[in-house]
Amino acid sequence: MEQLSTKYGKKYELLKQYFGYTEFREGQEMLIDSLLNGQDTLGIMPTGAGKSICYQIPALMLPGITLVVSPLISLMKDQVSSLNQAGIHAAYLNSSLTVNQYRMAMQYAAQGRYKIIYVAPERLETEEFRMFASQAQISMVCVDEAHCVSQWGQDFRPSYLNISRFVDTLHVRPVIGAFTATATKEVRDDIICMLKLWNPTVLVSGFDRKNLFFGVQTPKNKFGALQEYVVGHEDQSGIIYCLTRKDVEEVCERLRSAGVAATRYHAGLGDRERQENQDDFIYDRSPVMVATNAFGMGIDKSNVRYVIHYNMPKNIESYYQEAGRAGRDGEPSECILYYSGQDVRIHEFMMDQEPENEALSWDERELVQEQDRIRLRKMTYYCFTNDCLRDYILRYFGEEGSGYCGNCSNCLTDYEEVDMTDIAADVITCIRECRQRYGINVIVGVLRGENRAKLRSYGLTGLSSFGLRRGMEETKLKNLINQMVMDGFLLVTRDKYMLLKLTGNAKEILDGNLKVTMKCKPRQEEPAAADSTQQKRRKQRISDILNSKGLELFDKLREKRLEIARQEGMPPYIIFSDKTLTDMCVKVPLNREEMLNVTGVGQNKYERYGEKFIEFIREFSGGVHQVYYFEEENGKAPSVESYQKGGSAKTVRVETENDNGSLVRNSQDSGKKSGRRLKAEFMMSERIASQMYYSEKCTLSELVQQMNDQRDASVMKQIKNKTIMDRLIREGYVQETVCDDIQRKIITEKGTALGLFIEKKVSRDGNAYDVLYYNEAAQRAIVDRLLDEWRLPLSENTGD
Ligand code: ADP
Ligand code: ZN
């Protein structure tokens, strides 16, 4: 007992009593100690690392009140419910309270009833709050999402500038804690300046989230892949991020038709609907959320088991933040990105369209755009690299990785290390011959000796490097070039043309001083293997710990939790996390002491729910400590905490879908094509999509010509105008009518919306006629749909 009275013991006591945990996570203790020592503190930790406990525990130990400044109402509500559930007196003050509620809360606050008060930054300036603050004993001010104070960040909130003004008005300066997940140097420095932190302790904790699996896939049929995943993870909560509102609508609708309880969120919905949908998600009424990146800040749902990016985000910062919303409870969770070249082009387009920011000069704007383009490129490399994905992310944030994590789609693929030095030398020669004036598509086209009008018109077909690597897979060549950029042999210009240039290191390759190796995917494997490994992977979760009886108990406990959650109007995960339920299945607690020994069960939660769960578990187990788990190798019960760290290190092979996994699955709807042919088709359409040149307007023939120019005749049938026109008619973009014996085409409203338009022309002999044009958006839409869902002409009759 003696020891417990020391500060050290007290921390642990509170951690167990209120939060039900026995160990601090990396970094938490140091931040807590710093605050307790009266030292201003800046904690930079990734989402889900457990920032809140870092100020909540000191708040309980310091005399007086802690104010927590937080930007979002939903975030405050969630935090305060969690604290109240844990038995800590807390309240929030923001615009969601009625005048009466606010008065009441202020009154209680003045009486010292709350240890922790969450407050919106706007409130700090109000007279009433100032009055209160001048009389209260405020020992600590904590700033959550502190990056909102920085004008460099994307989430700048002018009201955050109130914070330091407010602190200046207090008689006694409280200790200040600031917390964020944003790591860049500029933002970090801004936080220290703008919040006027005094000689702060700065802790940047490891950005690694070991429980997250990272994967990149390139599905031909994105929706098909998504549906399969979501249906295969039934009962689990997940977020699907799309780039556009339109995609959100469409994906959500299609998932619903497939029987998935999905809801949606984007800035185009009304406030009320957004709130309702968000609540449906949080309360697990609709466990699947389809959303744009407008969704998520302040969402503290701990049991999100997967985050799928239906489109590639514009930079790694956004990706990691969004993906990081998976697995906040520390349980194994998956973050999967569906890549398509199209996404890159959309981002480039959006960057060019960015509304002019008046606050920036022309030079500054150029600089910002340049930074954006570099970030986008690094995001793209993430999708191409064959190295460890986790390592890639960690290195991006300035951390050293181990080179192999065993829990990402690259580490789990058996790549072959192939010597590519000769090819790399050809790339260098080619770039040199092209006088460093072109981007990757042209260089690859030249090396492959492609018969493209563009290459002819640039006069590149006569170069000695033309056709030097004829027949080499395009993706492979592109991957190599990307890797050479990452390794510093080449660089890409920072403007929007992205020309490839040689660096000084390139010469080392030509001189034979350096070798270039690349991880390549091995030749295709037996298709059947793909499915069984998929299955295997899926089992790397709770079912890895619990046996079938255990899983049954787990499901029952979840039902129980949901029932209580509904009664109390609380999100289920605030009652108990999945991890806590899993631990109950392992430990089978039959009395108070045993229940308190379960991770996540603190004193207060025990008092509220402990008995209900014990009763239930007694009934289920017949009052005996049954074994509902798979024993560890040492014969011991598995530890839920250590599981999250070690659980993923199994070597299983995952198929990403430019392997033949999902392509073979596609073959169900495309007759008897072989995996190899499907793969070839897939590559073909990727290639076409990535090489199209979209003009302001063009005719269908011109568009089709361009596609056919890129086509490899051995894989793909010629695309015909008629095939596309028939589709457009069938889908109601164009109508055909006969008038004066002349067949004419009329553009419907739908067609106009797509970007079709007619121009009147007069022929040489004086006859008027219509020309049907397609604007850029329409061209893109046709190419995408043709290659994606229509999948028309791809080897339709070529057989095998
Ligand atoms: P952040 O604010 O950093 O995104 P949170 O503070 O919301 O993360 O914590 C994420 C999850 O981790 C919560 O469910 C929290 O209860 C849990 N957690 C925090 N600290 C610990 C710990 N020491 N041991 C186990 N779980 C913890
Ligand atoms: Zn890895």
Side-chain angles (χ1 to χ4, degrees):
M1 274 290 109
E2 174 104 18
Q3 185 213 356
L4 288 186
S5 61
T6 64
K7 248 190 206 172
Y8 179 82
K10 187 82 185 159
K11 273 184 317 211
Y12 277 90
E13 198 182 314
L14 294 173
L15 181 68
K16 183 67 203 149
Q17 179 185 348
Y18 289 111
F19 303 99
Y21 303 129
T22 44
E23 302 277 347
F24 283 106
R25 290 194 186 148
E26 202 183 317
Q28 283 180 327
E29 217 173 344
M30 186 181 154
L31 291 167
I32 292 173
D33 291 346
S34 166
L35 288 169
L36 287 175
N37 287 333
Q39 183 84 34
D40 284 355
T41 300
L42 170 57
I44 300 171
M45 296 166 116
T47 312
K51 287 184 278 292
S52 346
I53 281 181
C54 301
Y55 55 81
Q56 287 165 350
I57 288 188
L60 291 170
M61 293 173 71
L62 291 168
I65 299 171
T66 288
L67 294 181
V68 182
V69 183
S70 174
L72 290 177
I73 291 176
S74 60
L75 190 78
M76 293 188 209
K77 266 194 188 150
D78 222 42
Q79 292 271 0
V80 169
S81 332
S82 282
L83 288 172
N84 289 337
Q85 283 292 306
I88 297 167
H89 298 283
Y92 56 83
L93 301 172
N94 61 36
S95 59
S96 76
L97 300 179
T98 63
V99 175
N100 267 341
Q101 285 172 324
Y102 187 74
R103 288 273 142 76
M104 194 72 119
M106 289 297 287
Q107 204 179 333
Y108 285 164
Q111 293 166 3
R113 288 215 203 176
Y114 304 125
K115 250 342 242 179
I116 304 181
I117 299 176
Y118 283 75
V119 57
E122 297 79 17
R123 290 278 146 179
L124 298 173
E125 295 268 89
T126 62
E127 195 47 44
E128 202 175 5
F129 192 79
R130 283 257 163 95
M131 279 291 287
F132 153 74
S134 67
Q135 283 151 24
Q137 184 190 5
I138 297 174
S139 319
M140 177 162 72
V141 171
C142 284
V143 184
D144 204 5
E145 310 287 355
H147 62 280
C148 291
V149 80
S150 166
Q151 302 183 21
W152 284 111
Q154 298 167 345
D155 304 318
F156 172 57
R157 284 171 185 250
S159 59
Y160 261 58
L161 302 174
N162 293 340
I163 300 172
S164 80
R165 279 202 296 268
F166 167 79
V167 170
D168 287 345
T169 65
L170 298 174
H171 300 308
V172 182
R173 185 184 183 277
V175 59
I176 302 181
F179 295 86
T180 175
T182 301
T184 65
K185 177 94 173 66
E186 291 93 337
V187 172
R188 209 179 297 175
D189 292 346
D190 254 17
I191 294 174
I192 295 175
C193 293
M194 309 303 283
L195 294 177
K196 299 192 194 153
L197 301 184
W198 291 354
N199 189 20
T201 309
V202 180
L203 180 105
V204 185
S205 92
F207 263 64
D208 191 7
R209 299 268 315 277
K210 293 197 173 64
N211 62 317
L212 300 185
F213 166 86
F214 289 96
V216 173
Q217 303 186 358
T218 328
K220 169 79 185 71
N221 173 356
K222 270 194 197 180
F223 186 77
L226 179 73
Q227 182 177 338
E228 187 176 352
Y229 186 94
V230 173
V231 170
H233 291 73
E234 189 182 27
D235 283 350
Q236 292 186 351
S237 184
I239 306 175
I240 295 146
Y241 279 109
C242 302
L243 202 55
T244 64
R245 297 176 190 182
K246 194 174 137 273
D247 278 348
V248 168
E249 293 289 334
E250 197 180 309
V251 168
C252 182
E253 196 46 52
R254 288 176 74 181
L255 282 177
R256 280 191 192 148
S257 329
V260 175
T263 184
R264 64 200 169 146
Y265 190 105
H266 59 68
L269 302 174
D271 285 351
R272 191 144 148 233
E273 187 179 356
R274 278 207 307 247
Q275 188 60 47
E276 279 170 8
N277 294 355
Q278 179 174 316
D279 286 349
D280 283 348
F281 174 67
I282 288 176
Y283 292 88
D284 275 333
R285 292 187 289 262
S286 305
V288 176
M289 171 58 90
V290 187
T292 59
N293 61 5
F295 177 76
M297 187 167 165
I299 301 292
D300 191 15
K301 193 172 196 285
S302 69
N303 68 337
V304 175
R305 289 280 72 86
Y306 59 86
V307 171
I308 295 183
H309 278 77
Y310 201 68
N311 305 99
M312 185 188 80
K314 65 175 180 218
N315 53 43
I316 298 268
E317 284 92 339
S318 312
Y319 180 63
Y320 204 49
Q321 187 177 45
E322 287 157 17
R325 295 189 176 120
R328 292 174 66 126
D329 53 9
E331 286 289 296
S333 307
E334 303 195 335
C335 309
I336 296 171
L337 192 161
Y338 290 171
Y339 171 80
S340 94
Q342 187 68 13
D343 299 338
V344 182
R345 288 188 296 278
I346 292 174
H347 284 302
E348 280 165 358
F349 180 75
M350 295 204 307
M351 277 171 197
D352 288 344
Q353 303 294 305
E354 210 103 286
E356 303 207 343
N357 186 339
E358 314 248 296
L360 298 180
S361 71
W362 189 85
D363 282 353
E364 285 171 327
R365 222 164 39 230
E366 279 290 288
L367 203 74
V368 168
Q369 283 206 347
E370 186 181 301
Q371 291 301 324
D372 286 348
R373 275 194 293 266
I374 292 171
R375 288 200 198 109
L376 174 62
R377 211 170 298 152
K378 291 191 172 160
M379 182 75 243
T380 315
Y381 292 150
Y382 174 81
C383 301
F384 275 103
T385 183
N386 287 343
D387 290 332
C388 174
L389 292 174
R390 184 183 313 275
D391 230 50
Y392 186 92
I393 294 175
L394 293 179
R395 270 188 283 123
Y396 183 88
F397 290 118
E399 262 182 62
E400 276 302 312
S402 65
Y404 176 88
C405 76
N407 194 22
C408 76
S409 59
N410 285 348
C411 284
L412 296 179
T413 303
D414 305 313
Y415 290 108
E416 294 163 340
E417 192 88 21
V418 180
D419 187 339
M420 304 284 266
T421 314
D422 289 349
I423 307 174
D426 289 350
V427 169
I428 292 168
T429 309
C430 179
I431 293 174
R432 188 191 269 167
E433 282 190 344
C434 290
R435 299 163 66 197
Q436 311 191 52
R437 278 165 46 188
Y438 300 99
I440 190 165
N441 285 327
V442 168
I443 299 299
V444 167
V446 170
L447 281 167
R448 281 165 42 88
E450 287 170 13
N451 178 17
R452 276 158 52 186
K454 205 164 157 188
L455 302 183
R456 285 194 298 274
S457 73
Y458 293 158
L460 303 176
T461 47
L463 299 178
S464 75
S465 52
F466 187 80
L468 217 48
R469 289 286 159 185
R470 210 180 285 277
M472 181 167 168
E473 263 178 49
E474 182 187 1
T475 336
K476 204 165 177 178
L477 207 42
K478 277 194 175 167
N479 283 354
L480 174 65
I481 293 178
N482 282 332
Q483 186 181 315
M484 290 170 73
V485 174
M486 284 190 273
D487 292 345
F489 296 116
L490 307 177
L491 57 83
V492 181
T493 58
R494 294 168 159 225
D495 55 26
K496 69 179 183 193
Y497 303 105
M498 306 213 258
L499 310 181
L500 283 172
K501 307 266 174 188
L502 304 176
T503 69
N505 294 341
K507 201 167 165 295
E508 298 289 310
I509 296 181
L510 291 184
D511 293 349
N513 296 333
L514 283 175
K515 261 184 160 13
V516 179
T517 61
M518 193 169 86
K519 290 183 182 164
C520 294
K521 288 205 174 124
R523 287 277 127 216
Q524 316 266 324
E525 278 179 17
E526 281 303 295
D531 277 348
S532 66
T533 45
Q534 277 282 346
Q535 297 262 316
K536 239 195 239 160
R537 258 215 61 78
R538 238 169 243 152
K539 284 206 177 125
Q540 263 193 42
R541 43 191 84 242
I542 291 165
S543 52
D544 262 5
I545 302 189
L546 301 180
N547 61 27
S548 60
K549 201 71 187 156
L551 288 174
E552 191 185 323
L553 176 59
F554 179 77
D555 280 341
K556 294 246 160 78
L557 293 177
R558 277 180 49 166
E559 277 167 31
K560 186 90 203 149
R561 176 179 68 180
L562 193 63
E563 184 189 308
I564 298 175
R566 294 229 161 105
Q567 280 162 11
E568 307 223 342
M570 286 283 157
Y573 59 86
I574 285 189
I575 314 263
F576 282 133
S577 69
D578 283 2
K579 184 157 70 179
T580 299
L581 297 190
T582 311
D583 207 31
M584 285 186 196
C585 297
V586 170
K587 296 193 173 131
V588 197
L590 301 171
N591 56 41
R592 178 173 186 274
E593 194 191 335
E594 287 170 3
M595 186 53 106
L596 280 170
N597 198 22
V598 168
T599 185
V601 182
Q603 200 64 44
N604 201 64
K605 289 234 179 132
Y606 172 77
E607 265 146 40
R608 290 195 190 203
Y609 314 115
E611 286 302 327
K612 284 185 195 162
F613 280 82
I614 288 179
E615 204 177 299
F616 191 82
I617 292 169
R618 268 208 209 113
E619 206 175 295
F620 186 91
S621 64
V624 186
H625 286 120
Q626 309 271 12
V627 177
Y628 293 135
Y629 53 80
F630 299 114
E631 283 182 1
E632 299 279 89
E633 269 150 32
N634 56 15
K636 286 202 188 138
S639 146
V640 180
E641 295 291 341
S642 67
Y643 171 74
Q644 40 162 311
K645 296 186 196 108
S648 46
K650 290 177 189 158
T651 320
V652 286
R653 194 180 142 70
V654 195
E655 299 291 325
T656 52
E657 55 341 306
N658 38 10
D659 274 330
N660 60 10
S662 71
L663 289 170
V664 169
R665 264 173 256 126
N666 282 347
S667 68
Q668 287 160 354
D669 47 65
S670 41
K672 50 179 187 344
K673 289 176 197 170
S674 74
R676 188 171 303 127
R677 172 160 301 279
L678 279 157
K679 171 157 181 155
E681 277 181 11
F682 163 74
M683 309 263 305
M684 178 65 53
S685 51
E686 272 287 277
R687 163 174 143 194
I688 293 181
S690 70
Q691 308 229 336
M692 291 299 293
Y693 169 76
Y694 298 105
S695 48
E696 214 170 286
K697 67 172 188 190
C698 78
T699 64
L700 187 57
S701 313
E702 286 163 353
L703 187 69
V704 167
Q705 180 64 45
Q706 231 200 108
M707 283 195 268
N708 281 331
D709 276 352
Q710 320 276 356
R711 173 187 68 106
D712 173 347
S714 69
V715 176
M716 196 167 130
K717 238 178 75 169
Q718 187 151 27
I719 303 169
K720 297 212 177 78
N721 295 4
K722 185 168 180 309
T723 332
I724 295 178
M725 186 46 77
D726 286 349
R727 270 282 163 162
L728 291 173
I729 293 171
R730 189 155 5 127
E731 298 195 3
Y733 295 103
V734 177
Q735 269 172 11
E736 270 184 329
T737 57
V738 181
C739 163
D740 298 336
D741 272 350
I742 302 174
Q743 212 184 29
R744 300 182 48 155
K745 296 203 168 60
I746 295 174
I747 303 173
T748 63
E749 228 170 80
K750 204 173 156 191
T752 310
L754 188 70
L756 311 192
F757 60 97
I758 283 182
E759 278 183 14
K760 301 246 175 245
K761 303 247 159 148
V762 182
S763 71
R764 231 180 274 165
D765 32 346
N767 291 324
Y769 65 98
D770 289 349
V771 180
L772 181 52
Y773 281 110
Y774 298 73
N775 75 9
E776 189 178 327
Q779 294 163 36
R780 285 181 191 276
I782 289 174
V783 171
D784 288 347
R785 295 198 53 196
L786 182 71
L787 299 173
D788 200 37
E789 4 168 343
W790 291 356
R791 277 206 256 142
L792 293 174
L794 302 179
S795 72
E796 250 169 346
N797 304 316
T798 38
D800 248 302

